[in-house]
Amino acid sequence: MLSLLKILWIIGITAEGMTGALAAGRRKMDLFGVAVLASVTAIGGGSIRDVLLGHYPLTWVAEPQYLVLVVVASFVTVSMPFLLENFRVVFLVLDAVGLSVFAVIGTQVALGLGHGFVIAVVSAVVTGVFGGVIRDLLSNQIPLVFQEELYASVAVLATCVYFLLRALGASDSVTVIVSILVAVTVRLLAIWRGWSLPIFDYQERS
Amino acid sequence: MLSLLKILWIIGITAEGMTGALAAGRRKMDLFGVAVLASVTAIGGGSIRDVLLGHYPLTWVAEPQYLVLVVVASFVTVSMPFLLENFRVVFLVLDAVGLSVFAVIGTQVALGLGHGFVIAVVSAVVTGVFGGVIRDLLSNQIPLVFQEELYASVAVLATCVYFLLRALGASDSVTVIVSILVAVTVRLLAIWRGWSLPIFDYQERS
Amino acid sequence: MLSLLKILWIIGITAEGMTGALAAGRRKMDLFGVAVLASVTAIGGGSIRDVLLGHYPLTWVAEPQYLVLVVVASFVTVSMPFLLENFRVVFLVLDAVGLSVFAVIGTQVALGLGHGFVIAVVSAVVTGVFGGVIRDLLSNQIPLVFQEELYASVAVLATCVYFLLRALGASDSVTVIVSILVAVTVRLLAIWRGWSLPIFDYQERS
């Protein structure tokens, strides 16, 4: 039986995979490039987290069907990119859901391995954000997540809410659901209102 | 005693290392950059595969003499790049051999760890292709393998042939040799005839 | 009790983290980008080494307080970049210390895992240099260490001195201190006198 968190994770990797496919299209890659960029965007963050924390086997290695799903979703994206343009808002919501779910899963993995708050935050950020970082590296641009409206900060927020609710004695499912809801809401508000972190602009005098 | 596959692997890492050295030269790197680019091109794919699959120790860590060979080959390349220009065809063949051998080895590693077809394909592609991907990242260009004539697809093909022959009851050595021969042939035909996968060209309307 | 090597390591990650923060500022990243670039610059090299050698848990995972230190140092950098300009010489020295200490620690880790000279050299270079390589990748430039005055070569030199002193029967602390002193000195001399490795300049005739 699939839990709610797993269903949200499947939605998340599908949505993230589609953004990877679009990035490949912007760079005129071939179908293989599309499949690779979709895969690393969807599962790259979780893979880096697992490698750094020594958490084997990796999710997609143990359950390769989810990798197949991401590749199929990327080919669907290729056959109907026009649809995505008409569903831009749906996409922003799905991406926010993906980011938030990934952050909560990252937090849980770190806690499950016995780590504390700092590593849980790192794990949430790596899971939520680093797939997109590799996508941007492979399509040769400065990673957007370092410049965009509150993106990685939302992963940090999800971990904070998660820890707070656990400290207050909330049940597992309440903790998971509320953390995700808060994170999704803040991310969407940040896009809508243009919230962002301060920029550090450092240009050497020549 | 060295097996045929190991001899082909040594040829493969040498050839791939030389392509890494040339990429370093195109970017005017120093001798250290040459050695690093040669090394990551030759052994980067296998290293990423081993890290993702938790397959320790890595080949070059257990047998560092092959790393030394790659570095020596890269310095030979530096001292006589003119030779490479006159052997361009030899090089394309060696690169095709490297790709195909890496793919077959990747398939074998995945099978040896008890994985199925999907992970075997991923392992073949990562082993065959990701060294070149890191090379291109470090020399700051969009990875060529995402745009070139059937490159990564050849790794997928090698795994498919491998599985087919095993299912037909072929012996280990027949399976290895035929998989490599088919992959090399298709790769060279693809270069010769300009075969490539469809390109996904997605430019947002502004 | 903190050993001398650990104190030097803390100075090293702080100094490297600050160079990462400055690179983020040059690309107008937000505070999150600053924290990530500082962290990967400071601890990325050691992390890649540990993953490649299967040396778990990673240092910052076991002792996350040092990651917090790097992030705090990066925010200090953001609040007073003008200071750094006035301390440019101090910074070059701290960076040279960081490089040399990282190289010696990398050598020790490899030896502690039972590896020989070649892997010790690779471990020293990866620990000393690859944090900066990831920093440069994430800020979208060709890694400087492949083009700069003797940089990675200094890591190789530190390992050579380390092995020589051990072979001569020097005590552990003498070995560590002399290796670092020689490496720092050569690095600073290289900057001062403009020493560098030969460049490999290979441009295909079109």
Side-chain angles (χ1 to χ4, degrees), chain B residues 4-16:
Chain B
L4 175 66
L5 193 59
K6 185 119 192 191
I7 292 170
L8 289 171
W9 178 73
I10 293 170
I11 294 173
I13 58 172
T14 308
E16 300 301 330

Side-chain angles (χ1 to χ4, degrees), chain C residues 119-149:
Chain C
I119 298 302
V121 165
V122 173
S123 179
V125 168
V126 169
T127 313
V129 172
F130 273 52
V133 171
I134 312 179
R135 175 197 62 209
D136 294 344
L137 276 185
L138 289 179
S139 50
N140 209 16
Q141 50 190 24
I142 297 182
L144 279 175
V145 297
F146 299 153
Q147 300 176 320
E148 231 180 330
E149 304 91 355

Side-chain angles (χ1 to χ4, degrees), chain A residues 91-104:
Chain A
F91 240 70
L92 285 177
V93 175
L94 289 180
D95 179 68
V97 171
L99 168 64
S100 308
V101 171
F102 287 7
V104 166

